[in-house]
Amino acid sequence: MVISDIRIIEEAVKLVDDGVIVTLPVNGTSMLPFIIGGRESVILQKPRQPKIGDVVLAWVEGCRYVVHRIIRVDGENVTLMGDGNLAGTEHCTTGDLKAIATHVVSRDGKRHDLYCPWRQRASRLWWHLRPIRRYLLAIYRLL
């Protein structure tokens, strides 16, 4: 029996709603270079008041879950963008924020705080490097 990714995520969301801290593997490249899909997991817990820079698990545009960074909060409306995305954003409401990612867990089990000072500075710098991300990500993928 194969269980779909969406069912697994929905079960994780139920656990987070109950106050359980959940570790969830991530796939894809949309959060490079800060979260490596297929090799790392994120630790999720109940969302707090959303703020720019938070990495969240969200139900976006009524059709899918993403783990992306908040780039704008306007009242109840939230705009997200993956760190590895060159353009394109997703939109949801604060009610669609299902969890906040607090840590990244590497393949060897080491936990890394997503909001330590150097990661926060690096993510802000990465945001400003959007015009040249394409080239930086190409180099990163080659390495």
Side-chain angles (χ1 to χ4, degrees):
M1 174 181 180
V2 176
I3 300 173
S4 71
D5 288 347
I6 198 163
R7 293 259 336 256
I8 293 168
I9 295 170
E10 287 172 347
E11 288 302 316
V13 167
K14 286 179 189 174
L15 290 169
V16 167
D17 282 344
D18 290 340
V20 177
I21 296 173
V22 175
T23 301
L24 187 71
V26 293
N27 291 315
T29 59
S30 68
M31 284 302 289
L32 285 174
F34 298 104
I35 301 173
I36 303 168
R39 293 195 347 212
E40 294 181 323
S41 299
V42 290
I43 295 178
L44 302 171
Q45 58 187 43
K46 255 190 170 159
R48 58 181 186 234
Q49 184 66 30
K51 66 179 196 263
I52 293 172
D54 286 349
V55 176
V56 295
L57 171 67
W59 179 248
V60 295
E61 297 162 0
C63 65
R64 62 192 169 100
Y65 287 101
V66 297
V67 174
H68 282 172
R69 193 175 303 274
I70 295 175
I71 61 169
R72 184 176 307 121
V73 179
D74 184 19
E76 293 294 309
N77 298 311
V78 179
T79 305
L80 308 166
M81 184 178 190
D83 292 337
N85 292 352
L86 302 174
T89 57
E90 293 90 9
H91 304 278
C92 65
T93 66
T94 55
D96 294 322
L97 301 178
K98 304 303 182 184
I100 183 168
T102 59
H103 295 79
V104 174
V105 181
S106 58
R107 194 178 270 166
D108 62 2
K110 291 183 182 175
R111 290 169 49 139
H112 306 279
D113 182 359
L114 276 171
Y115 306 102
C116 67
W118 82 263
R119 281 188 186 260
Q120 288 184 324
R121 284 191 302 274
S123 68
R124 282 193 296 273
L125 174 62
W126 188 248
W127 172 253
H128 293 293
L129 293 174
R130 282 186 329 278
I132 62 169
R133 269 189 197 175
R134 172 183 318 276
Y135 308 107
L136 296 172
L137 286 168
I139 293 167
Y140 177 84
R141 287 182 178 122
L142 288 174
L143 298 176

